[in-house]
């Protein structure tokens, strides 16, 4: 037998790529998270004060909520971008805001908007069925124009809230403590932040925390803010612009429809939909629906891709095997011969078969 030498061990080529950057520690990330919380509170106060001063000087009181939401969203983006610079990690604005460009972005936003609209509609139908809702409709052109401004303001407010409570700070805390802790903590902070709103109650704070859970689930199922931003906007827009109810204790977004609820107990009152326990039931149903309807998104966007690993297995064949393959190669100049079938020769009668005389067989005269 011919001894087979062991295959040579493959030597990886020298890599010129720089070493991967050092990952920041949990303490540093938690410090960034606390700084982000401070900036959320400070930017909200700055935006509200600036919008009040500008709108009073320009005599545009109806535009104050929209201007305040615009300033708050702008300050949040600037502040979080600076924190990302401190972290020494470059990223695009879309990735910073959890608004990636992908083909399902519009469908995700539409799914969230549909769920938010359905949730608000369900609560209003219950209130109307009990006789606890009174509406007054105005169809003037001025009120319609103000309603369009309100829609813009609610879209900016929903974007600012999602950026603050389900955006960059949420992801920082998720890196430090995990998804469950981050979801619970940010939902509690979302509810506690509503204490500063006019006419806030204990029920409204608890229901707002539950709303935060639903919105956080939208991010966890898609790793983007498209769905939660659509839900937040539609929930507020349906309540204020369509049904004329307060939003966060403010009636500044309702112009074409004015509503009030003379009901009993913990109903909407002067705060809005989160002041009712009926809203909590609707939010729980919305949470179940979101989890069921986002199964494909969760599979496509939340699972880590499977990457190949291990050592390379490109092993050279043994010398004996290579020698056998060399011997089996045909010698040079050898050609192959292909034998083709002979063509049929038709006879004169056209039967398709040759006559006896044509193939040298004597003809039988008796036949």
């Amino acid at each position: 037998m011919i001894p087979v030498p062991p295959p040579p061990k493959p030597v990886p080529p020298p890599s010129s790529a720089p070493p991967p950057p050092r990952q920041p520690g949990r303490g540093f990330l938690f410090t960034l998270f606390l700084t982000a919380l401070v900036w959320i509170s400070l930017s909200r106060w700055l935006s509200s004060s600036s919008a009040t001063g500008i709108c009073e000087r320009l005599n545009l009181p109806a535009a104050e909520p929209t201007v305040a939401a615009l300033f708050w969203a702008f300050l949040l983006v600037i502040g979080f971008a600076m924190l990302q610079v401190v972290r020494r990690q470059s990223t695009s604005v879309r990735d910073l805001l959890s608004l990636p460009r992908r083909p399902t972005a519009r469908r995700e936003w539409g799914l969230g908007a549909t769920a938010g609209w359905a949730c608000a509609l369900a609560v209003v139908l219950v209130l109307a069925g009990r006789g606890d809702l009174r509406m007054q409709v105005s169809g003037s052109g001025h009120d319609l124009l103000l309603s369009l401004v309100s829609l813009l303001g609610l879209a900016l407010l929903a974007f600012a809230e999602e950026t603050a409570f389900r955006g960059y700070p949420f992801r920082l805390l998720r890196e430090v403590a995990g998804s469950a802790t981050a979801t619970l903590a940010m939902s509690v902070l979302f509810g506690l932040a509503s204490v500063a709103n006019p006419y806030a109650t204990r029920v409204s704070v608890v229901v707002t925390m539950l709303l935060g859970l639903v919105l956080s689930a939208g991010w966890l199922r898609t790793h983007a803010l498209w769905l939660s931003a659509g839900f937040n906007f539609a929930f507020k827009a349906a309540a204020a612009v369509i049904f004329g109810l307060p939003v966060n204790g403010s009636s500044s977004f309702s112009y074409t429809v004015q509503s009030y609820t003379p009901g009993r107990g913990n109903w909407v009152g002067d705060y809005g939909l989160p002041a009712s326990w009926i809203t909590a039931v609707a939010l729980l149903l919305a949470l179940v629906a979101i989890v069921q309807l986002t199964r494909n998104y969760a599979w496509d966007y939340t699972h880590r891709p499977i990457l190949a690993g291990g050592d390379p297995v490109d092993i050279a064949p043994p010398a004996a095997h290579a020698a056998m393959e060399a011997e089996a190669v045909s010698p040079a100049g050898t050609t192959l011969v292909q034998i083709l079938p002979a063509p049929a020769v038709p006879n004169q009668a056209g039967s398709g078969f040759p006559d006896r005389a044509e193939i040298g067989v004597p003809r039988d005269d008796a036949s």
Side-chain angles (χ1 to χ4, degrees), residues 329-355:
V329 176
S330 299
T334 303
T335 57
L336 298 178
V337 178
Q338 183 178 6
I339 302 176
L340 299 176
V345 181
N347 61 357
Q348 296 178 356
S351 62
F353 297 96
D355 198 330

mmCIF file of all heavy atoms in Angstrom, residues 329-355:
data_model
loop_
_atom_site.group_PDB
_atom_site.id
_atom_site.type_symbol
_atom_site.label_atom_id
_atom_site.label_comp_id
_atom_site.label_asym_id
_atom_site.label_seq_id
_atom_site.Cartn_x
_atom_site.Cartn_y
_atom_site.Cartn_z
ATOM 1 N N VAL A 329 -7.013 9.020 -17.356
ATOM 2 C CA VAL A 329 -7.219 9.994 -18.425
ATOM 3 C C VAL A 329 -6.860 9.353 -19.754
ATOM 4 O O VAL A 329 -5.854 8.653 -19.878
ATOM 5 C CB VAL A 329 -6.359 11.253 -18.167
ATOM 6 C CG1 VAL A 329 -6.480 12.237 -19.326
ATOM 7 C CG2 VAL A 329 -6.788 11.914 -16.874
ATOM 8 N N SER A 330 -7.666 9.552 -20.783
ATOM 9 C CA SER A 330 -7.423 8.979 -22.106
ATOM 10 C C SER A 330 -6.160 9.574 -22.688
ATOM 11 O O SER A 330 -5.883 10.770 -22.512
ATOM 12 C CB SER A 330 -8.611 9.267 -23.026
ATOM 13 O OG SER A 330 -9.784 8.691 -22.506
ATOM 14 N N PRO A 331 -5.329 8.749 -23.411
ATOM 15 C CA PRO A 331 -4.097 9.293 -24.024
ATOM 16 C C PRO A 331 -4.415 10.317 -25.085
ATOM 17 O O PRO A 331 -5.503 10.340 -25.656
ATOM 18 C CB PRO A 331 -3.433 8.050 -24.624
ATOM 19 C CG PRO A 331 -4.537 7.066 -24.786
ATOM 20 C CD PRO A 331 -5.498 7.313 -23.667
ATOM 21 N N ALA A 332 -3.429 11.157 -25.329
ATOM 22 C CA ALA A 332 -3.627 12.239 -26.290
ATOM 23 C C ALA A 332 -3.831 11.670 -27.684
ATOM 24 O O ALA A 332 -3.202 10.680 -28.072
ATOM 25 C CB ALA A 332 -2.420 13.182 -26.274
ATOM 26 N N GLY A 333 -4.647 12.269 -28.465
ATOM 27 C CA GLY A 333 -4.903 11.869 -29.838
ATOM 28 C C GLY A 333 -5.984 10.821 -29.974
ATOM 29 O O GLY A 333 -6.335 10.434 -31.087
ATOM 30 N N THR A 334 -6.497 10.263 -28.923
ATOM 31 C CA THR A 334 -7.546 9.257 -28.990
ATOM 32 C C THR A 334 -8.858 9.918 -29.361
ATOM 33 O O THR A 334 -9.232 10.941 -28.773
ATOM 34 C CB THR A 334 -7.684 8.534 -27.647
ATOM 35 O OG1 THR A 334 -6.428 7.963 -27.304
ATOM 36 C CG2 THR A 334 -8.744 7.446 -27.732
ATOM 37 N N THR A 335 -9.525 9.330 -30.373
ATOM 38 C CA THR A 335 -10.821 9.875 -30.794
ATOM 39 C C THR A 335 -11.896 8.826 -30.591
ATOM 40 O O THR A 335 -11.623 7.604 -30.631
ATOM 41 C CB THR A 335 -10.769 10.311 -32.264
ATOM 42 O OG1 THR A 335 -10.390 9.197 -33.064
ATOM 43 C CG2 THR A 335 -9.769 11.455 -32.459
ATOM 44 N N LEU A 336 -13.071 9.236 -30.441
ATOM 45 C CA LEU A 336 -14.211 8.361 -30.273
ATOM 46 C C LEU A 336 -14.920 8.216 -31.604
ATOM 47 O O LEU A 336 -15.014 9.172 -32.396
ATOM 48 C CB LEU A 336 -15.171 8.913 -29.219
ATOM 49 C CG LEU A 336 -14.588 9.054 -27.807
ATOM 50 C CD1 LEU A 336 -15.627 9.662 -26.878
ATOM 51 C CD2 LEU A 336 -14.129 7.708 -27.284
ATOM 52 N N VAL A 337 -15.420 7.017 -31.882
ATOM 53 C CA VAL A 337 -16.154 6.720 -33.113
ATOM 54 C C VAL A 337 -17.609 6.492 -32.757
ATOM 55 O O VAL A 337 -17.915 5.685 -31.865
ATOM 56 C CB VAL A 337 -15.566 5.491 -33.832
ATOM 57 C CG1 VAL A 337 -16.373 5.179 -35.087
ATOM 58 C CG2 VAL A 337 -14.108 5.734 -34.160
ATOM 59 N N GLN A 338 -18.481 7.172 -33.469
ATOM 60 C CA GLN A 338 -19.906 7.012 -33.240
ATOM 61 C C GLN A 338 -20.516 6.277 -34.420
ATOM 62 O O GLN A 338 -20.342 6.670 -35.585
ATOM 63 C CB GLN A 338 -20.578 8.381 -33.081
ATOM 64 C CG GLN A 338 -22.060 8.273 -32.768
ATOM 65 C CD GLN A 338 -22.696 9.644 -32.573
ATOM 66 O OE1 GLN A 338 -22.026 10.646 -32.796
ATOM 67 N NE2 GLN A 338 -23.943 9.661 -32.177
ATOM 68 N N ILE A 339 -21.190 5.182 -34.172
ATOM 69 C CA ILE A 339 -21.829 4.362 -35.203
ATOM 70 C C ILE A 339 -23.270 4.811 -35.312
ATOM 71 O O ILE A 339 -24.060 4.682 -34.370
ATOM 72 C CB ILE A 339 -21.734 2.867 -34.864
ATOM 73 C CG1 ILE A 339 -20.272 2.445 -34.701
ATOM 74 C CG2 ILE A 339 -22.430 2.026 -35.918
ATOM 75 C CD1 ILE A 339 -20.091 1.022 -34.271
ATOM 76 N N LEU A 340 -23.597 5.312 -36.524
ATOM 77 C CA LEU A 340 -24.947 5.791 -36.765
ATOM 78 C C LEU A 340 -25.749 4.731 -37.506
ATOM 79 O O LEU A 340 -25.194 3.912 -38.238
ATOM 80 C CB LEU A 340 -24.907 7.082 -37.609
ATOM 81 C CG LEU A 340 -24.172 8.260 -36.976
ATOM 82 C CD1 LEU A 340 -24.112 9.428 -37.945
ATOM 83 C CD2 LEU A 340 -24.843 8.674 -35.693
ATOM 84 N N PRO A 341 -27.047 4.690 -37.369
ATOM 85 C CA PRO A 341 -27.869 3.716 -38.104
ATOM 86 C C PRO A 341 -27.864 4.032 -39.590
ATOM 87 O O PRO A 341 -27.820 5.193 -40.001
ATOM 88 C CB PRO A 341 -29.248 3.887 -37.466
ATOM 89 C CG PRO A 341 -29.245 5.265 -36.917
ATOM 90 C CD PRO A 341 -27.835 5.510 -36.482
ATOM 91 N N ALA A 342 -27.877 2.940 -40.434
ATOM 92 C CA ALA A 342 -27.898 3.105 -41.890
ATOM 93 C C ALA A 342 -29.250 3.635 -42.314
ATOM 94 O O ALA A 342 -30.294 3.201 -41.795
ATOM 95 C CB ALA A 342 -27.603 1.775 -42.578
ATOM 96 N N PRO A 343 -29.259 4.541 -43.291
ATOM 97 C CA PRO A 343 -30.547 5.072 -43.751
ATOM 98 C C PRO A 343 -31.330 4.041 -44.538
ATOM 99 O O PRO A 343 -30.764 3.218 -45.261
ATOM 100 C CB PRO A 343 -30.141 6.263 -44.616
ATOM 101 C CG PRO A 343 -28.782 5.939 -45.079
ATOM 102 C CD PRO A 343 -28.122 5.163 -43.982
ATOM 103 N N ALA A 344 -32.623 4.008 -44.403
ATOM 104 C CA ALA A 344 -33.484 3.077 -45.127
ATOM 105 C C ALA A 344 -33.583 3.489 -46.587
ATOM 106 O O ALA A 344 -33.686 4.684 -46.898
ATOM 107 C CB ALA A 344 -34.865 3.037 -44.492
ATOM 108 N N VAL A 345 -33.541 2.467 -47.510
ATOM 109 C CA VAL A 345 -33.630 2.713 -48.959
ATOM 110 C C VAL A 345 -35.027 2.315 -49.431
ATOM 111 O O VAL A 345 -35.379 1.126 -49.394
ATOM 112 C CB VAL A 345 -32.568 1.926 -49.733
ATOM 113 C CG1 VAL A 345 -32.649 2.216 -51.231
ATOM 114 C CG2 VAL A 345 -31.187 2.244 -49.198
ATOM 115 N N PRO A 346 -35.838 3.221 -49.817
ATOM 116 C CA PRO A 346 -37.199 2.846 -50.243
ATOM 117 C C PRO A 346 -37.185 2.146 -51.608
ATOM 118 O O PRO A 346 -36.329 2.418 -52.459
ATOM 119 C CB PRO A 346 -37.907 4.192 -50.321
ATOM 120 C CG PRO A 346 -36.832 5.178 -50.570
ATOM 121 C CD PRO A 346 -35.620 4.657 -49.867
ATOM 122 N N ASN A 347 -38.098 1.213 -51.822
ATOM 123 C CA ASN A 347 -38.214 0.522 -53.109
ATOM 124 C C ASN A 347 -39.044 1.336 -54.079
ATOM 125 O O ASN A 347 -39.570 2.390 -53.742
ATOM 126 C CB ASN A 347 -38.782 -0.880 -52.921
ATOM 127 C CG ASN A 347 -40.180 -0.820 -52.304
ATOM 128 O OD1 ASN A 347 -40.657 0.259 -51.990
ATOM 129 N ND2 ASN A 347 -40.805 -1.980 -52.157
ATOM 130 N N GLN A 348 -39.162 0.759 -55.270
ATOM 131 C CA GLN A 348 -39.883 1.499 -56.293
ATOM 132 C C GLN A 348 -41.362 1.562 -56.005
ATOM 133 O O GLN A 348 -42.033 2.520 -56.377
ATOM 134 C CB GLN A 348 -39.643 0.831 -57.656
ATOM 135 C CG GLN A 348 -38.177 0.871 -58.103
ATOM 136 C CD GLN A 348 -37.969 0.179 -59.418
ATOM 137 O OE1 GLN A 348 -38.906 -0.405 -59.983
ATOM 138 N NE2 GLN A 348 -36.737 0.231 -59.912
ATOM 139 N N ALA A 349 -41.873 0.520 -55.321
ATOM 140 C CA ALA A 349 -43.312 0.541 -55.021
ATOM 141 C C ALA A 349 -43.661 1.509 -53.916
ATOM 142 O O ALA A 349 -44.821 1.765 -53.660
ATOM 143 C CB ALA A 349 -43.778 -0.875 -54.669
ATOM 144 N N GLY A 350 -42.590 1.999 -53.261
ATOM 145 C CA GLY A 350 -42.849 2.964 -52.201
ATOM 146 C C GLY A 350 -43.338 2.351 -50.928
ATOM 147 O O GLY A 350 -44.029 2.999 -50.141
ATOM 148 N N SER A 351 -42.981 1.053 -50.697
ATOM 149 C CA SER A 351 -43.428 0.403 -49.471
ATOM 150 C C SER A 351 -42.554 0.726 -48.289
ATOM 151 O O SER A 351 -42.875 0.372 -47.176
ATOM 152 C CB SER A 351 -43.465 -1.122 -49.671
ATOM 153 O OG SER A 351 -42.165 -1.588 -49.960
ATOM 154 N N GLY A 352 -41.375 1.331 -48.595
ATOM 155 C CA GLY A 352 -40.487 1.649 -47.499
ATOM 156 C C GLY A 352 -39.437 0.614 -47.265
ATOM 157 O O GLY A 352 -38.536 0.828 -46.443
ATOM 158 N N PHE A 353 -39.464 -0.553 -47.895
ATOM 159 C CA PHE A 353 -38.479 -1.620 -47.726
ATOM 160 C C PHE A 353 -37.777 -1.864 -49.063
ATOM 161 O O PHE A 353 -38.398 -1.761 -50.142
ATOM 162 C CB PHE A 353 -39.131 -2.909 -47.251
ATOM 163 C CG PHE A 353 -39.767 -2.778 -45.900
ATOM 164 C CD1 PHE A 353 -41.127 -2.507 -45.791
ATOM 165 C CD2 PHE A 353 -39.013 -2.910 -44.747
ATOM 166 C CE1 PHE A 353 -41.709 -2.368 -44.553
ATOM 167 C CE2 PHE A 353 -39.593 -2.781 -43.505
ATOM 168 C CZ PHE A 353 -40.942 -2.500 -43.408
ATOM 169 N N PRO A 354 -36.483 -2.208 -49.105
ATOM 170 C CA PRO A 354 -35.778 -2.439 -50.370
ATOM 171 C C PRO A 354 -36.257 -3.701 -51.082
ATOM 172 O O PRO A 354 -36.721 -4.648 -50.437
ATOM 173 C CB PRO A 354 -34.320 -2.556 -49.929
ATOM 174 C CG PRO A 354 -34.397 -3.016 -48.518
ATOM 175 C CD PRO A 354 -35.631 -2.398 -47.950
ATOM 176 N N ASP A 355 -36.144 -3.688 -52.382
ATOM 177 C CA ASP A 355 -36.513 -4.858 -53.193
ATOM 178 C C ASP A 355 -35.420 -5.919 -53.064
ATOM 179 O O ASP A 355 -34.280 -5.618 -52.708
ATOM 180 C CB ASP A 355 -36.674 -4.435 -54.665
ATOM 181 C CG ASP A 355 -37.461 -5.474 -55.436
ATOM 182 O OD1 ASP A 355 -37.360 -6.641 -55.068
ATOM 183 O OD2 ASP A 355 -38.166 -5.086 -56.396
#
